[in-house]
Amino acid sequence: VVEKLRAGQPLATAKEHTINQQGLASVVLSLHQQLDAAVAAAYNCPPDLTDADILTHLVRLNHERAREEQAGHVRYLRPAYQAPEQQQSALNLPPSAATTAAPTEATGPQPWPTELAQQMQAIRDAVQQSLTPLTAAQVAARFRRTRPEKVQPLLDTLTALSLLRHTEEGTYAA
């Protein structure tokens, strides 16, 4: 039934209509089409290619990646797992917060950096300099015009890179 719907053919029998209704074939087809479009976009190719054209495109991409890898450039699918040391060094984060001055209550909130790597560094420093674990809201409050929802994904990334740890209480610590 899904193949008939995909080909644009009408459902001819009562059995096909029942299968469509009970098996949610139209929903399955829609999900397949969304997945096909997402995969095509991920591989930077038009969604309407023939199977032979898709294969040609993938073989060309494979050869490009092989040349890149021979030149020393590897594109990891899961860099945090496959090359965690490269992930941490790419952030250009210092080994400890001792190299920066701790903001004090008297100085108030610090400016929010514009660059992502600087934001990561600032968040890491704020958590490391705190005597107690902090929530995302507490970290955000240490910076001007910064909301917890902006800080949360960066805290999660630093945690995934093992640069911070997430406590059972939902706070973050060095």
Side-chain angles (χ1 to χ4, degrees):
V1 172
V2 171
E3 289 305 318
K4 273 192 157 185
L5 292 172
R6 185 184 310 245
Q9 299 173 352
L11 301 180
T13 66
K15 182 178 178 182
E16 290 175 340
H17 285 285
T18 301
I19 291 170
N20 184 31
Q21 290 291 324
Q22 292 178 350
L24 301 172
S26 297
V27 173
V28 170
L29 176 62
S30 174
L31 293 172
H32 274 282
Q33 290 169 337
Q34 292 173 30
L35 182 59
D36 289 346
V39 169
Y43 283 95
N44 198 23
C45 65
D48 58 348
L49 292 179
T50 65
D51 288 348
D53 290 338
I54 291 170
L55 183 58
T56 301
H57 183 75
L58 292 175
V59 168
R60 186 179 53 76
L61 282 176
N62 180 268
H63 289 298
E64 287 176 19
R65 294 301 179 269
R67 282 191 298 275
E68 287 177 358
E69 289 178 11
Q70 285 176 347
H73 177 71
V74 178
R75 296 180 190 223
Y76 293 104
L77 295 175
R78 296 172 41 201
Y81 174 75
Q82 293 170 296
E85 66 286 344
Q86 287 183 1
Q87 286 293 292
Q88 292 178 14
S89 64
L91 290 174
N92 198 20
L93 300 175
S96 73
T99 58
T100 59
T104 64
E105 298 280 331
T107 62
Q110 302 299 307
W112 181 243
T114 55
E115 298 294 322
L116 179 60
Q118 295 167 342
Q119 292 170 1
M120 300 284 278
Q121 179 65 58
I123 289 173
R124 183 177 183 215
D125 288 346
V127 172
Q128 285 182 330
Q129 293 164 359
S130 176
L131 299 176
T132 60
L134 301 172
T135 64
Q138 290 169 323
V139 173
R142 294 177 177 236
F143 301 97
R144 287 186 219 130
R145 294 182 297 278
T146 306
R147 297 184 318 269
E149 49 273 7
K150 174 74 174 178
V151 168
Q152 186 65 55
L154 302 179
L155 285 166
D156 293 339
T157 300
L158 288 166
T159 301
L161 294 171
S162 300
L163 297 171
L164 294 179
R165 62 184 172 83
H166 190 243
T167 68
E168 291 178 5
E169 296 80 25
T171 59
Y172 295 86

